[in-house]
Amino acid sequence: MTGARRRTRAAARTAVRRAALAATLALAPVAWGQAAPHGAPAAPAGGPAGGAAGGVVEVAPGDDVVRIVAAAPAGTTFRFAPGVYRLTTPIVPAPHDAFLGTPPDPDAADALARGGTILDGSVVLPPAERHGDVWTIDDPPPYDGDQHGSCMAAFLRCDYRQDLYLDGDPLLHVASTEHLGPGRWTYDFDANRILIGEDPAGRTAALGVAEAALRGNANHVRIEDLTVRHFANPAQRGAIHAYGDRLPVTPGHAWEIRRVTADANHGVGLMAGYGAVIADSRALRNGQLGIMSQGGQGTRVVRNEIAHNNLARFTFHWEGAGTKFRDTRDLVIRDNVVHHNHGPGIWCDRDNVGAHYVGNRVVGNASTGIFHEISYGALIEHNEVVDNGRYLGESAYAYVFGSGILVYNSPNVEVRNNVVVGNWNGINGLMHDRGTGLYGPWTLANLHVHDNVVHLPYHPRGMGPQDLPGQGGGVQAVAGISQAGGLDGVYTDAANNRFEGNLYLLEDPNADAWTWGDRGLTFDEWRTCGADDHDHRYPGCAQDPGAQVRFVAPGSDVRAQAERWLEALR
């Protein structure tokens, strides 16, 4: 090939990358609860959910809904009048059932005034009696002492499924009276007594009792315009749970969950897979996860708000997060707003293949923003990932956890056209010895990170995220590959991990902010990091052809300067 032809092709590649960056930087800000502008999802295979074969049944508050549903034929449509329906046991759908509520008033001043159809899993408690600085309620409904999950050190009762609520807001369950205070409560098993650390007078106290709002493994169930709240579902179970209630897990296929709010339930807010659609919904303040999916092909999670989950403080690395997906094929996670969850934001963990993360806004989550772990091929594109990973709090917070985007022991992943700003780390790959899954070894190979805008804030050396206590070192890297256990093959040509054409924005011009070959590198070293490798430990390690770096003032509004940087690229 002649030099002129090489230059022509190089110029064409550069033009394509610049156009991709322009599209990425043009992502418009989206208000909480709204979707980023992107294409609509395709309809799930398998036919429509919720038919009219069983006719229409009108239900109203005070009706025995569980009994009414159990007595109706499959394919019945249940229309719920507005109001609160208190359940003590789950509704069990039949195939093709539909559950249609009344939407809440979006303009109401607060959650209690919004109305609509509310399925509530709690029972109202009698007034409390004051004893000094503690208020007690004797002989409450039976309290389940079973435990499930792993709690953060300061939150050792996250694994009890029943929560206490004051005027709809969950209180934090602490282990003893010594830890009581405003917003906290404890249960005395010996005395069968609830103890509250603040005066509940004038407010409604309620205790979660029902294990789910809707639960079962019927196929093609449709749920629309409901609020499900205050359910005492254990960790790893949903307040809406499209699976059977016994092991081994038996799923329901092709559930449709639309315009549903799952608020302040103990375990998972919404849990469905196997071709389910979870769309235009809100998963807020749930104790463990907002949304979870386990198994099946073609599940779509689109245009949802997922916020303030892991309220009970399960450990991040056990399973406390905004979302969690496992054993899925061709999962689509599109146009969601995922913010301020106490853990990772969007998380695929174990044997997911063909996942597509696109058009999401992932903001202010305590750990990694988008996390693809011990899985397989994925496409991560056109996401806006901002201010994630600022909380330490756990000893496992080492290496490059807290990245905006982290690919961990997962081959064949492409990361392109994302804006990654203000996170503890940027876009990184991580390799440990994690074994083998359904589709081969969990390894880091064929990672292709290109045409992203990646910003790294300035942090003084030695500071962990938020400068909070913890044992993890909290490595900081705008981009690169890290490994543990002598797995140096991750850096070789055979692994084919590569970065191309990214724009890096740094607040520290002297930072060795890139990682490769167990070393921190400056930008110049990053682009030629194999040049002085006389022992050839890391052959073929020259990085990021076409990459550029810009230095920005600490604390500046990086997003506001995007157009100027884009012009500089041109």
Side-chain angles (χ1 to χ4, degrees):
M1 183 184 296
T2 67
R5 291 177 64 193
R6 289 193 188 96
R7 287 191 294 273
T8 299
R9 292 193 175 185
R13 286 194 298 269
T14 299
V16 169
R17 291 190 182 115
R18 287 173 177 168
L21 282 168
T24 302
L25 289 168
L27 284 172
V30 179
W32 299 135
Q34 296 179 345
H38 217 85
V56 177
V57 174
E58 305 284 345
V59 294
D63 290 348
D64 187 344
V65 178
V66 173
R67 182 190 62 79
I68 291 170
V69 172
T76 298
T77 295
F78 301 92
R79 295 190 181 276
F80 288 73
V84 177
Y85 298 72
R86 292 196 180 271
L87 304 180
T88 56
T89 58
I91 298 168
V92 180
H96 294 278
D97 279 355
F99 301 85
L100 309 181
T102 303
D105 178 2
D107 298 322
D110 56 61
L112 292 177
R114 287 187 187 124
T117 301
I118 300 170
L119 307 185
D120 192 307
S122 68
V123 295
V124 176
L125 299 173
E129 296 183 2
R130 183 170 184 172
H131 300 276
D133 293 331
V134 175
W135 289 260
T136 65
I137 300 173
D138 289 331
D139 300 318
Y143 195 81
D144 184 355
D146 290 345
Q147 296 169 272
H148 179 56
S150 173
C151 304
M152 293 184 180
F155 306 93
L156 293 180
R157 286 201 172 175
C158 80
D159 50 358
Y160 290 95
R161 68 179 180 86
Q162 291 175 262
D163 292 322
L164 184 72
Y165 305 90
L166 289 181
D167 277 352
D169 294 325
L171 275 62
L172 181 66
H173 193 178
V174 296
S176 67
T177 55
E178 288 79 9
H179 298 102
L180 284 175
R184 299 185 172 208
W185 76 290
T186 192
Y187 180 77
D188 185 332
F189 285 91
D190 294 330
N192 188 25
R193 175 180 296 149
I194 287 172
L195 301 98
I196 307 171
E198 63 177 278
D199 186 358
R203 291 180 285 176
T204 300
L207 181 71
V209 293
E211 289 197 27
L214 295 105
R215 182 178 69 191
N217 57 2
N219 296 332
H220 299 288
V221 172
R222 181 160 57 102
I223 305 167
E224 296 180 1
D225 297 310
L226 298 177
T227 293
V228 295
R229 71 183 190 192
H230 305 167
F231 284 88
N233 46 310
Q236 299 181 315
R237 297 284 187 96
I240 292 180
H241 190 75
Y243 300 84
D245 60 353
R246 293 182 176 85
L247 294 176
V249 172
T250 51
H253 292 252
W255 284 38
E256 292 186 20
I257 301 171
R258 299 181 185 275
R259 300 180 301 282
V260 169
T261 295
D263 179 37
N265 305 288
H266 182 75
V268 183
L270 304 172
M271 186 167 175
Y274 290 86
V277 174
I278 302 175
D280 303 305
S281 296
R282 306 175 79 207
L284 312 173
R285 304 191 303 170
N286 295 288
Q288 184 211 355
L289 295 163
I291 293 177
M292 185 176 185
S293 181
Q294 180 171 330
Q297 184 168 8
T299 296
R300 286 166 168 76
V301 178
V302 295
R303 299 185 303 275
N304 303 289
E305 181 185 11
I306 304 160
H308 303 289
N309 296 291
N310 195 22
L311 203 66
R313 299 299 196 268
F314 292 86
T315 56
F316 301 172
H317 294 279
W318 182 76
E319 208 165 72
T323 65
K324 188 73 173 290
F325 305 97
R326 180 183 297 137
D327 301 318
T328 67
R329 298 189 305 279
D330 302 324
L331 169 71
V332 175
I333 310 165
R334 181 192 294 270
D335 295 343
N336 301 284
V337 180
V338 183
H339 67 95
H340 298 98
N341 298 284
H342 202 79
I346 303 176
W347 187 5
C348 283
D349 182 17
R350 199 186 76 186
D351 289 335
N352 300 278
V353 61
H356 190 190
Y357 311 70
V358 56
N360 302 287
R361 291 194 70 212
V362 184
V363 180
N365 299 286
S367 188
T368 300
I370 294 177
F371 193 8
H372 195 71
E373 180 180 6
I374 56 172
S375 293
Y376 303 91
L379 177 58
I380 304 172
E381 63 173 346
H382 298 295
N383 301 285
E384 186 177 0
V385 187
V386 179
D387 290 338
N388 300 284
R390 299 301 189 91
Y391 183 85
L392 183 57
E394 292 195 57
S395 60
Y397 211 126
Y399 302 103
V400 285
F401 293 112
S403 290
I405 299 174
L406 179 59
V407 179
Y408 187 10
N409 278 71
S410 301
N412 306 318
V413 176
E414 184 177 6
V415 182
R416 69 186 186 194
N417 307 134
N418 300 283
V419 172
V420 180
V421 172
N423 305 282
W424 179 252
N425 287 297
I427 301 178
N428 287 279
L430 179 60
M431 176 71 177
H432 287 171
D433 183 359
R434 297 293 302 273
T436 298
L438 288 177
Y439 306 104
W442 290 318
T443 187
L444 188 67
N446 301 316
L447 172 63
H448 190 196
V449 180
H450 64 96
D451 301 304
N452 302 281
V453 178
V454 193
H455 165 250
L456 188 70
Y458 173 72
H459 303 291
R461 292 188 182 281
M463 178 185 288
Q466 286 291 91
D467 204 20
L468 293 175
Q471 300 174 16
V475 172
Q476 194 179 14
V478 66
I481 304 290
S482 300
Q483 64 85 29
L487 302 174
D488 294 336
V490 73
Y491 303 115
T492 65
D493 285 348
N496 194 35
N497 295 311
R498 60 204 188 278
F499 293 71
E500 295 182 277
N502 300 291
L503 170 62
Y504 299 105
L505 310 172
L506 267 66
E507 296 178 7
D508 179 3
N510 301 309
D512 49 355
W514 291 261
T515 60
W516 193 271
D518 305 323
R519 296 177 295 172
L521 305 171
T522 65
F523 182 65
D524 288 341
E525 291 170 335
W526 166 248
R527 297 189 64 194
T528 59
C529 64
D532 61 354
D533 181 20
H534 302 300
D535 296 330
H536 299 289
R537 287 185 68 206
Y538 313 117
C541 147
Q543 291 299 308
D544 243 351
Q548 297 192 42
V549 64
R550 296 282 184 272
F551 297 111
V552 296
S556 61
D557 187 346
V558 177
R559 290 283 299 159
Q561 301 180 54
E563 286 300 325
R564 181 170 61 82
W565 293 320
L566 189 59
E567 285 302 317
L569 284 177
R570 292 171 178 163

